[in-house]
Amino acid sequence: MALTGLEIYKHLPKTNCKDCGFPTCLAFAMKMAAKQVSLDKCPHVTPEAKAALESAARPPIQLVTIGADAQELKIGNETQLYRHEEKFYRPTLLAVRVWDTLEPTALSARLEAIAGLTFERVGTKVGVELVAVDNASGDAARFESLARQAVEVTGRPAVLMSAKADNLQRAARALSGKRPLLYISDPQQALAAAAVAKAENCPLAVRAESLEALAELTSKIAATGLEQIVIDPGARGLKGTLEALTRIRRAALKNFRPLGYPAIAFTTAATPLLQVVEASTYVAKYAAIVVTDLIERWQLLPVLATRQDIFTDPQKPVAVQPKLYTVGEVGAESPVLVTTNFSLTYYSVEGEVEASRVPAYILSVDTEGTSVLTAWASDKFNASTITKALKASGIEERVAHRKLILPGLVAVLSAGVEDESGWLVQIGPKEASGISSYLKNQWKN
Amino acid sequence: MSIPEVKEKWSARVSEVTIGATPAQGGTRARTVTIGGAGGIPFLSFDGALPHPPAIAIDVLDKQPVGWPKPLEEVYGDVWADPVQWARRAKELGADLINLRLTGIHPDEGDWPPSKAVEIVKAVLEAVDLPLIVWGCDFPEKDQRVMPKVAEAAQGERCLLGAVSQTEYRTLTAAAQAYGHTLIAASPCDINIAKQVNILVTDMGFPLSDIVIYPSTAALGYGMEYIYSILERGRLAALSGDKLMAQPVILDVGFEAWRVKEARADEEMADAWGPLAYRGPAWEAVTATDLLQGGADLLIMRHPEAIRAVREAVGQLMQGDGK
Ligand code: B12
Ligand code: SF4
């Protein structure tokens, strides 16, 4: 974890030469502890001291990079057990699995399906970011060819999974420069796989039968100089996996280095819906990567929604800029809908307005990123905030009419808004899902 | 290599609340349901025992619902005009409790008199021997007239009555106390309000040990994380000895989950999101199981597929725990 100034000072040359721009080494150390200056400003620090400081300053969970260039993905560096304390920083990566034992047609179909696994939610694109290539056949040539094909067709970085270090090497070479995550399922081959990972400049995921064995294994691998490690506690099923993921997170946050790596979890339930539940649970509870066999869109959407929810910043709601938005080719007769600037609220409305194909204005009132009822209950969405936003938006120069549509949930505001703004209020539906048919069938200018 | 001890040293547990009363206890229920009692973070056997699995109540309305989506209509459409038949269906589907909502008493929804509500509650109690939860219509003036009558009619059954809030608590608390029921204490998304309601209610002499907290609920993708964090904070406070946060929690999962677009939009979203017949139940199931990780003891649910998935998940998560 973060070092104190004194701890840093111990490793500095203590000559007070001022080359760093500070009067003393101690002053420099204090600034460094406050993260206002970095170690490279001291030209005299020894390589050993540098290594010691870097390793001591390493976050409790190692940052690991998978993929390269535009496809680079990072996991690890988490600092909390509970999201309300700060936030969870790096959303769990989802990997959908393919096996090199599949028939060619089934294989292509599956890869195509994975390629299409992206969705639009709350104004952002979300989806599956990895393809997990399983060397179920044990054959090196088949594995290599599937690895190439999977990355090419899905356009995603790969998790290469095999029990054999040699096979991993072949597939990793085939994807040279693309930095796949290598996953060695046989703990006996983990050290051989670590050598491959080092040579191919790839991160490595290792599995062991118990957390104790896993800690031993990662220590041996780290001693070879490979720090880009991902850990699989070996447990399978909801209960064992949940407990193992929690133990790992707790031990890591106690600065127990051998388990201070991002964790990978696998869904294995027999029924599809239960696998959805499993994947969502691991996303909420500390998995950095979830490998799943799920591939249907209805299965992945709730997992992705769980991820969006759990990884939002609990301190500040996701908000859109409060202003006047337009959807489609608006004109002087287009309807004006009023909503808040909570992202979730705004995009729920925008999506439905778009679907209606009725060009419209959406006035997003500044409610400090809160939903319609939350903002109403805390007095941020009321006759005067709505009127103020309306007048400031310039809408009165853009439309010829004076009619606005309020969310159905705040029908009680209509008299007040009419009085204060001089506009006529029409009450829209309570749920955004009703907006499309409301605009098409009920809204009359 | 030995790894560090990671069990937390908790100093307290969540309290236990028993709902329903058997003939031996002065009621007519075939069995009772006890919730709460957790001594650690949910489902971690190494952290603290979870003596009772989270219970599931199935929603029953006093009259035919409006706007329920097709997957729910397929399950309840043939019985939902009659609360008694609907309650029987809920029992067949494996409910631990019946969750009865008195919607028809609302001034805008029929304005039924107290006598009609009483009649429905009695009929449901007669037809189905599961413990009963009864909610008013959330229109305080009307609930104050109806709920005391309901409480009286169900005397001895130890129902769970909802809901008291920071501003409206006197009438219902007095009624629950007079006729031996337990209480739902509502507190919208706010731990301090939850404590405040508990103080107000116990100041009237109602036992803290008969209260269930309702912190409001949000669906997956629609603010779920706020409730998740409120649950986690509440659970941590309870385990650290805060007696005013130590009550078990009820969540209105079915109502919230089936309100959102992902659980309602049918043909127009089938290509992008997959068929509603699967998507809707999945939305309810995942809302429930995500929130269970935050810490919840009693879930109100609707769709049998979602309920089955939650039961299976809970069964697995409770391995080695329980009675
Ligand atoms: C998450 C949440 C919070 C979060 C805030 C989240 C946020 N960024 O807004 C937190 C925990 C901070 C919170 C706080 C409070 N909350 Co709150 N909160 C909720 C909760 C659980 C979900 C809200 C949500 O995200 N909804 C999703 C969004 C998308 O819904 P929406 O904005 O309404 O938009 C929908 C529709 O209105 C419609 N729509 C939107 N715009 C428009 C426009 C037009 C023209 C049309 C036609 C339709 C339309 O489309 C959307 C999709 O259908 C709800 C309960 C619930 N399940 O709804 C309570 C709830 C809104 N909260 C409530 C309350 C009372 C509060 C507090 C005031 C409590 C307190 N502490 O005193 C505080 C306020 C604190 C403050 N100072 O801000 C109450 C409001 C009661 C009421 N009826 O007035 C609710 C309903 C809970 C309850 N059952 O009592 N809350
Ligand atoms: S440059 Fe290095 S050695 Fe010189 S004063 Fe600064 S910290 Fe000390």
Side-chain angles (χ1 to χ4, degrees), chain B residues 49-279:
Chain B
L50 187 58
H52 312 290
I56 297 177
I58 295 184
D59 250 333
V60 173
L61 271 56
D62 56 353
K63 62 176 199 177
Q64 185 169 332
V66 186
W68 280 29
K70 201 158 67 188
L72 292 176
E73 185 176 353
E74 278 162 8
V75 180
Y76 300 111
D78 59 332
V79 293
W80 65 19
D82 174 4
V84 166
Q85 280 204 62
W86 189 345
R88 286 202 181 103
R89 172 70 46 83
K91 181 174 175 178
E92 283 160 24
L93 293 175
D96 297 317
L97 310 94
I98 300 296
N99 184 71
L100 179 62
R101 294 177 199 266
L102 300 175
T103 60
I105 60 173
H106 194 286
D108 303 339
E109 302 288 333
D111 208 8
W112 292 351
S115 58
K116 180 144 186 194
V118 163
E119 197 183 298
I120 291 170
V121 169
K122 277 184 154 169
V124 169
L125 279 168
E126 187 120 325
V128 177
D129 57 9
L130 299 177
L132 185 65
I133 306 171
V134 187
W135 298 77
C137 66
D138 207 16
F139 189 86
E141 295 90 275
K142 190 63 187 278
D143 286 345
Q144 282 158 16
R145 285 177 48 219
V146 173
M147 292 305 282
K149 295 275 189 291
V150 166
E152 182 182 3
Q155 179 162 19
E157 299 289 5
R158 210 176 151 75
C159 298
L160 178 59
L161 303 181
V164 291
S165 71
Q166 203 178 3
T167 48
E168 307 293 337
Y169 60 94
R170 290 176 187 281
T171 313
L172 188 55
T173 303
Q177 195 160 17
Y179 303 110
H181 301 296
T182 55
L183 268 186
I184 300 172
S187 49
C189 334
D190 191 317
I191 284 189
N192 293 322
I193 297 178
K195 291 188 187 190
Q196 179 62 17
V197 179
N198 283 345
I199 292 171
L200 293 169
V201 170
T202 49
D203 275 354
M204 287 181 64
F206 193 85
L208 203 48
S209 57
D210 283 351
I211 293 174
V212 174
I213 290 179
Y214 173 52
S216 88
T217 307
L220 172 62
Y222 289 83
M224 188 273 288
E225 73 276 20
Y226 288 95
I227 303 302
Y228 184 90
S229 282
I230 283 163
L231 292 173
E232 285 198 324
R233 287 169 54 204
R235 175 61 58 96
L236 291 170
L239 296 174
S240 309
D242 185 339
K243 294 207 162 39
L244 287 171
M245 280 310 293
Q247 293 63 48
V249 169
I250 183 172
L251 294 178
D252 204 358
V253 169
F255 172 79
E256 291 294 342
W258 288 98
R259 236 158 45 109
V260 306
K261 182 168 184 180
E262 283 82 347
R264 300 183 69 89
D266 200 356
E267 273 99 22
E268 78 271 23
M269 293 313 288
D271 284 348
W273 289 350
L276 179 62
Y278 298 128
R279 193 198 326 133

Side-chain angles (χ1 to χ4, degrees), chain A residues 83 216 239 243 297 306 352, chain B residues 1 45 221 229 261 272 290:
Chain A
R83 58 182 293 285
E216 208 148 305
K239 174 85 171 177
E243 290 197 335
R297 301 183 74 79
T306 297
E352 297 305 321
Chain B
M1 182 181 286
S45 300
S229 282
K261 182 168 184 180
D290 282 358

